[in-house]
Amino acid sequence: MHSVVISGTGLFTPAQSITNDELVESFNTWVHQHNAANADAIARGELEPLGESNAAFIEKASGIKSRFVMDKAGILDPQRMVPRLPERSNDEPSILCEMAVAAARQALERAGRTPADVDAVIVACSNLQRPYPAVAIEVQQALGIQGFGFDMNVACSSATFGIQAACNAVQLGQARSVLVVDPEICTGHLNFRDRDSHFIFGDAATAVLVERADLATSPYQFEVLSTKLLTQFSNNIRNNFGFLNRAAEEGVGGDDKLFVQEGRKVFREVCPMVAELIGKHLEENDIEVSKVSRFWLHQANLSMNHLIVKKLLGRDATPEEAPVILDTYANTSSAGSVIALHKYQDDLPSGALGVLSSFGAGYSIGSVILRKR
Ligand code: COA
């Protein structure tokens, strides 16, 4: 078995960003229009008027202040409230491929590698834009990588599950290195007319290069000490969009064909599961929690992250111990924990321990223990 390192990370951030105030202004304009158009039915008591959204609520409930997006105008247009991402011909790179390649090039650069050093590409994300051909194979071709590629979807946990799959391939000698890329256009599956969730997501792409330790030359290496995954079925985060929708016309366009969740239940159920999994994982590797310098957690909700690290450490974490990126990125699904890793790693000394952890729909939870080389 070969030892494995993450030898480079990369991040693509969209050029446009939406503040809570901008999002709420568009939402409330639509609510007023909707309530005015249905004034008679509301007066007769046949319809409940829709309630306004509120920027202060959003920041207090989630910690989110703004989010990067691929198309601001389409989302903020009260007559549309959906990003406008025009269709491309099959001869052009897909938008997900473009984002993935930008993040992958940065990971390769930090790893001091070229596509000739890579044997496989895994695109691991929640929001794949098509079933096939795999986006990973398109990314492979765009970068000029020989070998193989495949897509996988484990919702918000896709990155850590992808990293474990990549580690397995490198450990077994099936690949010298594997690019794991997480391109997420979460705004494509977000219902911007649902007050409970319209503020939750943003768009981004991340990449990590998982490489054989004895081949790696990068100054930014983290040894992968261990990975641990867990899934447990839940209906509390769901998206029923799929190719069988056309065979059930009665459901086409229903709210459940976009992201829906029971946020409170998710909060209550997932926090203890994550703390327990990370705690167990560290224990199995004879690592005391107090020896961990950094927790790069999935970025969905600030209070959730505070609670998880508090359960682990027995005290509040410092901002350095559990870095936050969701304030400006919102929830970017599988990309979130890797954005935190990418942005908050260069200050760590050699030998420092960190845990990369994702959690989300499924439920699915992943933990990756890393040691700075
Ligand atoms: N503006 C104003 N009020 C709002 C609102 C908005 N945008 N959205 C909801 N509210 C209201 C609700 O209607 C509710 O009113 P009520 O008390 O009169 O019924 C109240 O605010 C509280 O709503 P609730 O949904 O219980 O808020 P919350 O504190 O649970 O926060 C989330 C909501 C989504 C931020 C939070 O539950 C969460 O982040 N959960 C975890 C989600 C997660 O990690 N998901 C993983 C996805 S990958």
Side-chain angles (χ1 to χ4, degrees), residues 126-357:
S126 291
N127 300 289
L128 287 160
Q129 76 183 93
R130 60 168 189 260
Y132 46 82
V135 175
I137 304 175
E138 196 187 352
V139 171
Q140 183 194 343
Q141 178 192 259
L143 290 169
I145 290 169
Q146 303 292 316
F148 65 94
F150 60 88
D151 294 347
M152 54 183 279
N153 181 348
V154 198
C156 289
S157 286
S158 298
T160 52
F161 280 59
I163 287 170
Q164 174 164 300
C167 287
N168 291 347
V170 174
Q171 280 162 347
L172 292 173
Q174 294 162 341
R176 293 165 298 162
S177 73
V178 181
L179 260 175
V180 183
V181 199
D182 321 294
E184 296 281 16
I185 305 185
C186 302
T187 56
H189 81 151
L190 182 52
N191 184 353
F192 284 100
R193 293 196 164 125
D194 173 32
R195 188 176 75 142
D196 289 341
S197 64
H198 76 117
F199 54 88
I200 287 181
F201 287 105
D203 305 329
T206 53
V208 303
L209 187 69
V210 172
E211 194 176 1
R212 239 170 72 183
D214 59 337
L215 300 178
T217 55
S218 149
Y220 307 110
Q221 290 177 44
F222 283 93
E223 192 179 345
V224 181
L225 297 184
S226 175
T227 61
K228 189 175 178 76
L229 311 179
L230 178 76
T231 51
Q232 182 181 300
F233 189 75
S234 167
N235 275 321
N236 289 334
I237 313 170
R238 240 191 124 105
N239 184 334
N240 288 335
F241 183 77
F243 71 93
L244 288 182
N245 294 160
R246 65 191 283 268
E249 290 86 340
E250 66 278 12
V252 170
D255 284 353
D256 69 323
K257 307 305 179 301
L258 296 168
F259 167 88
V260 280
Q261 76 166 352
E262 295 278 349
R264 275 274 149 106
K265 287 188 188 162
V266 173
F267 196 110
R268 222 179 26 242
E269 292 172 8
V270 168
C271 289
M273 286 171 70
V274 176
E276 192 185 336
L277 182 92
I278 295 175
K280 247 193 213 157
H281 193 197
L282 290 169
E283 200 181 307
E284 285 163 8
N285 285 276
D286 294 323
I287 295 170
E288 285 173 34
V289 180
S290 60
K291 297 283 184 300
V292 177
S293 306
R294 195 143 298 166
F295 295 90
W296 299 284
L297 298 183
H298 176 49
Q299 304 278 318
N301 181 297
L302 189 58
S303 312
M304 222 168 160
N305 287 14
H306 284 160
L307 191 65
I308 289 167
V309 188
K310 193 171 183 176
K311 271 179 190 290
L312 281 161
L313 290 172
R315 59 167 173 83
D316 289 331
T318 64
E320 290 74 30
E321 284 172 317
V324 176
I325 60 94
L326 64 82
D327 53 344
T328 53
Y329 280 82
N331 183 345
T332 51
S333 194
S334 68
S337 58
V338 185
I339 299 176
L341 169 66
H342 177 75
K343 284 183 170 275
Y344 294 94
Q345 57 168 268
D346 289 346
D347 61 314
L348 288 175
S350 173
L353 291 164
V355 174
L356 177 76
S357 177

